[in-house]
Amino acid sequence: MQNHVAPARVWPTFPVMASLSFVLRARARRLRSALAPRRLWAARWRIFFGALAVVAAPLLLVGILALFTPLPEELREPAAPSLRVHARNGKLLREVRADDGARARPLPLASFPPHVRDAVLAAEDRRFYAHLGVDLGAVCRAALSNVTHRRVVSGASTITMQLARTVRPHRRSLWGKVTETALALRIEASLSKDRILEEYLNRVIYGPNLRGYAAASEAYLGTAPESLSLAGAALIAGLPRGPSLYAVTKRPDLAKRRRDRILVRMAEAGMIDEGAKERGIAEPIVANVDKPAFGAPHFTRALVSGKIAGVQPALAEAMRDKTALSEIHTTIDPELQRTAETAVTATLATLAPKHVTAASVVVLENATGDVLAWVGSPDFYSTAALGQNDGVLALRQPGSSLKPFVYAEAMSRLGFTGATLLPDVEIHIPLPGGGDYVPHDYDGKERGPVRLRDALGNSLNIPAVYTIQQVGTATVLARLHAFGFASLVEDAEHYGPALALGDGEVTLLELAAAYATLARGGVKKPVRVATRLVRADVPTELEAPAAEGRVLDERIAAMITDILSDKSARMSAFGDQNVLELEVPVAAKTGTSKGYRDNVAVGYTREVTVAVWVGNFDGSPMRDVSGITGAGPIFREVMEAAARSRPAPTRARSLSIGDDAARLGLARTSICALSGEIPTSACPHRIYEWLPEGDADHAPPCAIHHRVRLDMRNGLRAGPGCTREVTTERVFERWRQPYTEWARRTNRALAPEASSTACPTDDDTAELDGALGDGSGDPSVRDPLAPRIVYPFDGARFVIDPERPAELQLLEIRVEPEGTTVEVRVDDTIVSKTRTWPLAPGTHTITARNGSHASSPIRITVR
């Protein structure tokens, strides 16, 4: 049977669930209503902290970067200046740009007057002294303005940020701005506000190749910051915003608009009153554009490059490290420099038809060694004329301008004076490599015997070569080195006797310094080119260098100077009223190198020395231009200008020995005009010469003039057998070698050889004492078979060079006629067949004999 279970009672579920749902929703509504304010604030806090994180994260990043950003090394040292080279009166000669290629003149903040600083602050950063490197207020204002205008219309860079960007440039990017801001914070933490402003004024770019406020002020307005007007200060202060946009010379209208805006800002900030603002706005812009100075270009280039800095140790030291060197005050006289430049240009214009394209001038002050003028070429910028060559430092042959030093050495070693007789006849100088050197005068003439005064005054070549042969080329070269001719670097054998004629290359500066040494009486003094340096704003005075010492006896220097200043001594060669005849006493010398490639004129007064070179930088010859016609006119004009700059009493001082004679131990002594010796009654003409005191008491009398009795019936010599009624007495000349041939050729007044048959002399040669009137002076004249010694000359002097091996110092004896049968002796020693004899100190007699036929003796001296 199936059991049936009754179902349980089921409650209706839908109403119950609906009621429960209603209750829960009600409670939820009440809960949400209760929680809504809390959720809203939570959301708001989330937004706030999110925004704060967005703002703080960059700031935190910048702060962290600032902690690890070092202060740039540039800001640990003063800003590098450009180097300003000044003349002796303060005029700017040249400004040499700094290593970054900019003209810069850093100044301490105190050198910028208040209105300049206010103008900069009004233009760039009015709240500079209030912020910490970043002006957040300015950042917000700039951001709002840029968003409003939908373009960049305003920036927020502070002065500190601009300084950071200047020392550490970066690309225009967000990261670049972050690093700039971090560096600005580092700068603010490390430097004071005044130091930051000073660095900004000295480092920010104000224009093309213009770094710093002061450089822009001088370049655009021609004045230093301390002299700027209010309007001028505002004008320069506005340039960093756009150095090209607000360029005074290119966009004066925009520059004025920018200036006026700054003036308005200054008034709004209370920096100036309304009246000052209006006056500033009304002031016109007068641009005094400063073309970069480049006066005395060759001099300043040589100075800055260090080529001549070595003449002053302090200057040389400064030029090795130019980091903080801002100024060099030189010795250049700008007026004299301008005169020299004008003289060069004007003279070369007249010489152009003779193929002369270049000239150089240097002027020295004797007392100090100061370089007063330096012209390296007529046009520094001329490429065609090779204008950047510097003729003051170029190596050139000085020609006859070295002759005074040759004669000075002979005076020093051999006792020469202005009266010493020298041969101006053909001479042959044996050369070490074989052959002869035969010098000639500039005009091809031979004047016979000449006194040293005339030989130097007229610049005769043969006497100078003869002199250097007597004294020795090596000793002359040593003397030239003592005078400062360091460019003569070869040995004596290289130059040979032609050194007396300037056959060696020297600089014009060396030549001027050597002549200035003569002007100082033989005392050498270094050249000075600078008097003051400024390094890191600290001036250093450079005193005139001390004298290096005496390189020539004062008496000899005075005798050389007396000759070089003697107008009559050079008259026969150069004529009267030549370019060396100045209004002031001057000792002068000219020189022309072989082939007319160079000529010089150099000379001095008591106060100044002037040296001039004329030629062509390419070495091509001029056409018949000598020192008188080429360099002479420039020398005259420059020397007269230099003399005019000196006080009248000093420039009129004579260069002759005069009142200094007693102190120098010299006496004005009467001498025979022809022989230069103490005159006898037979000397027809007498002149005066400065000789050492006492020379007149022991010097030999004139050996050239002598009296001879003649038989009036036949003009021959009269012996004692002729009465007075048939005789007369006449003055004749008698000559020894090397003048015998010259005497015959020029028909000098020579005594007859033969005596009158009516009254023969006892000994035809006795009266002439070995020097016959026809110049024979020895038996060889009477004996045509006797040999004749051609070289050396009678009375020649030789000097042994202590630095050369003795076996190389040989005297070559030349005899005519040549032949192996001729025996040559020095003293009693027979000379080898090569006829070379090793020099030995002392006085020696040389003779030549061919069988029974003997030459006249030749006497020489070796020292």
Side-chain angles (χ1 to χ4, degrees):
M1 177 171 136
Q2 183 175 5
N3 293 328
H4 178 77
V5 178
R9 184 176 180 177
V10 178
W11 292 89
T13 59
F14 178 78
V16 173
M17 293 299 294
S19 299
L20 181 59
S21 175
F22 175 79
V23 171
L24 291 175
R25 284 195 301 272
R27 287 186 176 181
R29 283 194 299 271
R30 286 195 299 270
L31 181 60
R32 284 195 301 269
S33 176
L35 293 177
R38 294 180 182 178
R39 290 177 178 174
L40 178 62
W41 278 105
R44 287 175 177 174
W45 278 111
R46 285 195 297 271
I47 294 172
F48 173 77
F49 283 115
L52 183 62
V54 170
V55 173
L59 294 179
L60 182 61
L61 175 62
V62 169
I64 294 174
L65 285 175
L67 289 175
F68 291 96
T69 299
L71 184 70
E73 289 297 325
E74 296 93 320
L75 297 181
R76 299 180 185 275
E77 300 292 337
S82 50
L83 178 58
R84 299 162 67 87
V85 182
H86 299 272
R88 68 190 305 158
N89 65 351
K91 179 183 177 181
L92 182 66
L93 292 176
R94 181 184 179 187
E95 184 168 5
V96 183
R97 295 177 180 179
D99 291 341
D100 61 355
R103 299 166 61 189
R105 190 189 174 195
L107 297 174
L109 186 62
S111 296
F112 295 95
H115 68 282
V116 168
R117 284 175 276 173
D118 288 344
V120 172
L121 295 177
E124 300 295 338
D125 191 357
R126 193 184 305 178
R127 288 167 41 81
F128 170 70
Y129 282 97
H131 60 67
L132 298 177
V134 179
D135 190 346
L136 296 178
V139 171
C140 294
R141 284 195 303 272
L144 180 61
S145 178
N146 295 340
V147 170
T148 301
H149 291 84
R150 296 183 180 181
R151 60 187 178 88
V152 178
V153 297
S154 178
S157 292
T158 63
I159 281 178
T160 312
M161 294 171 70
Q162 292 182 54
L163 176 60
R165 185 166 62 246
T166 298
V167 296
R168 288 291 183 271
H170 60 78
R171 292 184 177 181
R172 296 176 64 88
S173 65
L174 179 60
W175 178 249
K177 201 67 176 177
V178 170
T179 58
E180 175 188 308
T181 304
L183 181 55
L185 294 177
R186 163 53 61 194
I187 292 173
E188 286 277 348
S190 302
L191 304 179
S192 68
K193 283 290 187 179
D194 284 350
R195 173 70 186 281
I196 293 171
L197 181 58
E198 177 183 308
E199 294 292 339
Y200 173 87
L201 290 169
N202 289 328
R203 293 183 184 274
V204 171
I205 300 301
Y206 277 78
N209 300 317
L210 292 173
R211 173 164 46 83
Y213 191 102
S217 171
E218 294 185 354
Y220 287 126
L221 300 181
T223 185
E226 60 265 24
S227 302
L228 285 174
S229 66
L230 178 62
L235 178 69
I236 301 301
L239 293 176
R241 178 67 59 87
S244 299
L245 180 64
Y246 300 116
V248 179
T249 54
K250 296 180 179 179
R251 297 181 176 87
D253 52 340
L254 292 181
K256 184 179 186 306
R257 190 184 308 172
R258 171 73 173 153
R259 180 200 70 177
D260 295 348
R261 188 180 302 120
I262 293 172
L263 290 171
V264 171
R265 289 181 180 178
M266 294 178 73
E268 292 174 350
M271 297 174 177
I272 59 175
D273 56 30
E274 286 297 317
K277 181 194 76 174
E278 295 301 326
R279 288 191 296 273
I281 291 175
E283 183 177 309
I285 295 177
V286 181
N288 181 22
V289 180
D290 174 27
K291 182 179 179 181
F294 201 3
H298 295 87
F299 170 80
T300 54
R301 184 184 63 179
L303 177 64
V304 172
S305 67
K307 286 184 178 179
I308 56 175
V311 299
Q312 290 180 255
L315 179 60
E317 181 67 27
M319 299 305 293
R320 278 193 286 270
D321 179 16
K322 304 177 187 176
T323 304
L325 186 62
S326 59
E327 295 182 27
I328 300 178
H329 291 259
T330 73
T331 57
I332 291 292
D333 181 336
E335 293 300 322
L336 188 57
Q337 176 73 22
R338 188 178 301 110
T339 298
E341 292 171 349
T342 302
V344 165
T345 303
T347 302
L348 289 185
T350 65
L351 295 175
K354 296 189 175 183
H355 187 55
V356 181
T357 61
S360 303
V361 180
V362 64
V363 183
L364 303 180
E365 186 176 62
N366 297 335
T368 61
D370 288 357
V371 175
L372 302 180
W374 180 306
V375 181
S377 76
D379 185 357
F380 183 83
Y381 298 102
S382 174
T383 303
L386 305 177
Q388 294 201 18
N389 283 303
D390 190 345
V392 176
L393 296 178
L395 292 174
R396 295 288 178 176
Q397 290 193 355
S400 297
S401 60
L402 292 189
K403 289 175 182 174
F405 307 101
V406 175
Y407 290 120
E409 184 66 9
M411 289 178 175
S412 177
R413 285 184 174 268
L414 305 180
F416 281 19
T417 69
T420 300
L421 204 63
L422 302 171
D424 188 30
V425 297
E426 182 176 319
I427 60 174
H428 295 256
I429 307 295
L431 297 177
D436 292 344
Y437 171 56
V438 184
H440 300 282
D441 288 339
Y442 60 91
D443 56 4
K445 297 179 180 179
E446 294 178 6
R447 295 163 179 78
V450 294
R451 288 174 289 107
L452 187 151
R453 177 176 291 271
D454 292 330
L456 177 56
N458 292 292
S459 196
L460 303 179
N461 292 339
I462 299 174
V465 173
Y466 171 83
T467 300
I468 198 172
Q469 180 68 9
Q470 298 302 302
V471 76
T473 302
T475 58
V476 171
L477 182 59
R479 179 73 67 176
L480 291 171
H481 286 160
F483 268 88
F485 288 102
S487 298
L488 296 172
V489 296
E490 305 295 340
D491 59 20
E493 186 173 342
H494 172 83
Y495 298 113
L499 182 62
L501 309 183
D503 194 5
E505 294 183 332
V506 303
T507 70
L508 194 66
L509 184 61
E510 289 173 338
L511 190 64
Y515 271 73
T517 298
L518 289 176
R520 288 188 289 266
V523 175
K524 184 182 177 184
K525 186 184 262 311
V527 169
R528 182 171 69 161
V529 295
T531 59
R532 185 160 64 99
L533 304 176
V534 178
R535 180 189 289 276
D537 298 323
V538 178
T540 301
E541 300 296 328
L542 300 179
E543 299 296 332
E548 294 184 358
R550 179 170 297 282
V551 296
L552 184 66
D553 183 80
E554 185 180 9
R555 180 168 68 178
I556 295 174
M559 289 194 288
I560 293 291
T561 297
D562 188 81
I563 295 171
L564 293 179
S565 62
D566 185 357
K567 298 178 182 179
S568 61
R570 56 174 171 259
M571 189 173 297
S572 66
F574 303 114
D576 194 13
Q577 300 301 315
N578 59 71
V579 294
L580 301 182
E581 307 300 324
L582 279 67
E583 297 177 355
V584 296
V586 59
K589 187 75 188 71
T590 61
T592 302
S593 69
K594 56 187 177 184
Y596 291 102
R597 284 179 169 78
D598 310 278
N599 66 59
V600 299
V602 56
Y604 51 91
T605 65
R606 295 282 186 183
E607 290 76 33
V608 294
T609 296
V610 175
V612 180
W613 168 83
V614 166
N616 297 297
F617 285 128
D618 63 3
S620 58
M622 301 170 283
R623 289 193 286 270
D624 299 326
V625 178
S626 68
I628 284 289
T629 59
I634 301 175
F635 171 83
R636 179 188 181 93
E637 188 168 344
V638 175
M639 178 59 85
E640 287 185 339
R644 284 195 299 269
S645 67
R646 303 286 152 169
T650 58
R651 68 170 177 256
R653 289 177 58 197
S654 173
L655 292 170
S656 63
I657 293 173
D659 295 337
D660 294 329
R663 180 177 62 83
L664 296 172
L666 295 172
R668 193 163 180 78
T669 307
S670 175
I671 62 171
C672 173
L674 182 59
S675 68
E677 297 172 322
I678 302 303
T680 66
S681 60
C683 294
H685 304 290
R686 304 182 185 196
I687 58 173
Y688 287 90
E689 181 59 81
W690 294 106
L691 300 180
E693 286 181 341
D695 267 20
D697 300 332
H698 56 76
C702 175
I704 292 178
H705 296 104
H706 68 126
R707 298 181 185 277
V708 177
R709 292 177 66 237
L710 300 178
D711 185 339
M712 292 188 293
R713 295 167 294 184
N714 52 31
L716 300 178
R717 293 174 179 274
C722 290
T723 63
R724 291 182 176 229
E725 289 76 12
V726 296
T727 60
T728 185
E729 190 177 79
R730 286 183 54 191
V731 174
F732 290 96
E733 300 172 3
R734 50 187 173 185
W735 299 99
R736 292 182 179 273
Q737 287 286 6
Y739 306 110
T740 55
E741 296 296 331
W742 166 83
R744 291 194 191 99
R745 188 173 65 251
T746 56
N747 297 317
R748 301 298 297 181
L750 306 177
E753 300 178 34
S755 61
S756 174
T757 57
C759 49
T761 60
D762 295 333
D763 184 354
D764 289 345
T765 64
E767 184 178 6
L768 298 181
D769 192 25
L772 295 180
D774 65 354
S776 308
D778 60 77
S780 64
V781 175
R782 297 177 183 272
D783 184 357
L785 299 179
R788 184 166 66 93
I789 299 175
V790 178
Y791 184 83
F793 309 123
D794 189 35
R797 301 179 184 181
F798 298 90
V799 178
I800 296 176
D801 185 351
E803 297 182 1
R804 294 185 63 195
E807 62 271 14
L808 297 180
Q809 302 191 57
L810 304 176
L811 174 64
E812 181 180 355
I813 302 171
R814 296 197 308 155
V815 179
E816 292 181 352
E818 297 182 356
T820 57
T821 60
V822 177
E823 179 187 85
V824 177
R825 289 176 177 264
V826 177
D827 300 327
D828 293 327
T829 303
I830 299 176
V831 177
S832 66
K833 293 182 179 180
T834 61
R835 295 191 181 150
T836 56
W837 173 71
L839 292 178
T843 301
H844 306 279
T845 301
I846 304 174
T847 57
R849 178 177 294 275
N850 186 3
S852 61
H853 307 283
S855 71
S856 63
I858 297 296
R859 296 173 179 82
I860 65 170
T861 302
V862 180
R863 298 180 57 181

